[in-house]
Amino acid sequence: MATLTSLQSRLAKHLAYRKTLAELRSMPQRVALDLEVYGCEKEIAYRAIYG
């Protein structure tokens, strides 16, 4: 049962990562540049979800 729980947790985190990444990428370039997140969306999404 622990394996199933671990798999569910990993899947939930992966889905949250993909959603966060999509949100960051959908941000207008001007806003992303202003927030200093342009070009490092993957790293920001990863840190937000996985720590």
Side-chain angles (χ1 to χ4, degrees), residues 3-16 50:
T3 303
L4 181 58
T5 304
S6 175
L7 183 60
Q8 288 173 331
S9 175
R10 287 179 57 202
L11 180 59
K13 283 185 177 184
H14 179 72
L15 293 174
Y50 296 104

Side-chain angles (χ1 to χ4, degrees), residues 5 8 15 19 21-22 25 34 37-38 40 43 47-49:
T5 304
Q8 288 173 331
L15 293 174
K19 182 176 180 180
L21 184 59
R25 286 181 172 169
D34 188 44
V37 299
Y38 185 76
C40 54
E43 293 86 0
R47 282 186 292 164
I49 302 304

Side-chain angles (χ1 to χ4, degrees), residues 21-35:
L21 184 59
E23 289 292 327
L24 288 170
R25 286 181 172 169
S26 71
M27 188 181 307
Q29 183 178 3
R30 185 174 180 104
V31 174
L33 286 168
D34 188 44
L35 296 174

